[in-house]
Amino acid sequence: MNNPPVLISEEKIRQRVDELAAQISSDYADKGDVVLIGILKGSFIFLADLSRRLSIPRTIEFMAVSSYRNTSVSTGAVRMVMDVRSNIENRHVLIVEDIVDTGHTLKYLIGILGSRKPASIRTCTLLHKAESAEVDVRIDYIGFGIGDEWVVGYGLDYAERDRSLPYIGTIQPDDRA
Ligand code: 5GP
């Protein structure tokens, strides 16, 4: 099978991750330790690259959630599958997502993590489908805005395929079956 067409190249991702890391490092410079919470599975490559480019003290945690979807369409219901392993009370939290589509997943995460009294909570996503937003959710750091299309690669999948592609590619509706 052919590889999906390129939407965002490896080079563009590298440049943008550098810029995000510089911005985040500067914003947190006087705050001390930040807890980066990567949302599995899709954020694992972005988190690995972003965390290695930061120049501030940071620790890594993971959460896994499952968003109920009928194939590629969100139903809006979100469930936690795996929680973080440490106490985040009084700590600065940065949620690291692969993609924000309708916003339901991020809203759920902000609600659950925010209730644990962190010192602050911010959000970072590599990709944002602004046209698809269904709920109002605050995103502090956005890598790229994209249209309403299904993307794969750099951690993102379609039915567990294509996560290891080094770039972000698009899957056409016909290929999704
Ligand atoms: P939301 O709750 O914002 O609608 O959806 C967020 C989750 O949906 C993401 O974390 C991701 O798992 C999935 N998702 C939404 N759009 C895409 C896409 O284009 N490609 C992939 N691989 N996952 C997506």
Side-chain angles (χ1 to χ4, degrees), residues 21-49:
Q23 182 68 53
I24 293 166
S25 298
S26 145
D27 292 353
Y28 283 86
D30 58 354
K31 288 191 165 61
D33 193 87
V34 57
V35 190
L36 306 172
I37 303 184
I39 310 307
L40 295 173
K41 296 178 187 173
S43 75
F44 79 109
I45 294 180
F46 177 43
L47 180 71
D49 284 349

Side-chain angles (χ1 to χ4, degrees), residues 14 41 48 53 60 74 80 83 89 110 115 129 149:
R14 200 174 305 122
K41 296 178 187 173
R53 289 173 169 88
I60 310 286
S74 171
M80 193 194 310
D83 203 346
E89 191 171 345
I110 293 170
S115 71
K129 294 185 186 174
E149 53 200 331

Side-chain angles (χ1 to χ4, degrees), residues 62-126:
F62 288 103
M63 274 177 96
V65 291
S66 121
S67 317
Y68 289 96
R69 292 181 165 270
N70 302 319
T71 61
S72 55
V73 179
S74 171
T75 61
V78 183
R79 181 173 63 94
M80 193 194 310
V81 174
M82 188 189 94
D83 203 346
V84 293
R85 295 200 181 174
S86 59
N87 186 352
I88 58 162
E89 191 171 345
N90 294 325
R91 298 171 73 191
H92 295 288
V93 165
L94 181 62
I95 300 173
V96 179
E97 262 283 24
D98 52 349
I99 185 163
V100 177
D101 181 5
T102 61
H104 288 289
T105 304
L106 194 56
K107 194 179 167 88
Y108 169 85
L109 290 166
I110 293 170
I112 211 160
L113 293 169
S115 71
R116 298 178 187 174
K117 303 189 175 69
S120 69
I121 183 158
R122 286 191 188 174
T123 56
C124 173
T125 186
L126 179 68

